[in-house]
Amino acid sequence: MIIQQSKATFATSVTDNLFLKRQTVAPLMEKTAGTTTISQAAQERLAVDNASDLNPHTTDLYRVEGPVYSIEDMVKSKGRPLIAVKMTEAQINEVKLREQQEKARENVNFNYAKAHQYQPIGQVIVNGKLVATVSDAGSFESPQVIPNLSDQPLSPADRLAEIARAVKGEIIYSNFLPTMGGWMGPSAPESALPPITARSMSEILEQEIAPAMEKKIAEWEAQTGKTYPRRA
């Protein structure tokens, strides 16, 4: 699937997902148990995205990594005829609106978390080195993976104790060591978030594109008297 500003085309087979990978970027937010974790990279990314929104000349909504191949060549290389469905302007505009709505929600969540930042209540250190910082909400950040921790919400005291046991470390409650540079805060309540009214790409694909593709395949089979080769 290739999506551009003004047009998009889906090519068969339905069982083959011909998606070109979007550029991998740091997620704006990492949400766990109602907590929004903001990293330094995410803050910088959000600033860049917001600046792009203010630039009327920005058209690079989708970026591609690696080599780009013709969809027709990819389909024919598997011995199949090319059957394609072009997205309508309405579908493309709905995808754009969905991205705008999701970004608006991310911005609200970001600002809410920043305004209600959790405060560090304790740290776990081993041989003078920081292992984890636990907040007053019981969430924690760590520069390393700590195995065998509970997935259940814990009080700050219980979380500190659990981490200390796991790494055989010492708990300190003052004179904190420098952290990773990020911060944490609660996610905004749903009532404070802008609504999502537009369908996602996957919903449009399932509800409209895939049925249209199946219809074209059926028409091709009726015209040729052949069975469309869905698998290589």
Side-chain angles (χ1 to χ4, degrees), residues 58-89:
T58 297
T59 58
D60 186 21
L61 294 181
Y62 291 83
R63 297 175 294 277
V64 178
E65 282 186 339
V68 178
Y69 302 95
S70 162
I71 290 180
E72 183 174 7
D73 290 344
M74 294 172 69
V75 174
K76 288 183 176 180
S77 71
K78 298 187 178 183
R80 305 170 186 175
L82 176 66
I83 298 178
V85 174
K86 181 179 179 180
M87 288 184 71
T88 65
E89 287 296 322

Side-chain angles (χ1 to χ4, degrees), residues 28-30 36-40 42-43 109-110 113 181-184:
L28 288 181
M29 282 171 279
E30 205 175 280
T36 300
T37 304
I38 311 295
S39 68
Q40 183 64 35
Q43 295 179 53
N109 258 325
F110 181 95
W183 48 266
M184 299 180 185

Side-chain angles (χ1 to χ4, degrees), residues 33 45 62 76-77 80 91 101 107 116 123 135 156 180:
R45 173 67 183 167
Y62 291 83
K76 288 183 176 180
S77 71
R80 305 170 186 175
Q91 290 168 340
Q101 291 176 336
N107 283 331
H116 300 82
Q123 291 183 329
S135 75
M180 298 170 60

Side-chain angles (χ1 to χ4, degrees), residues 53 82 115 170 209:
D53 289 342
L82 176 66
E170 172 191 358
I209 302 298

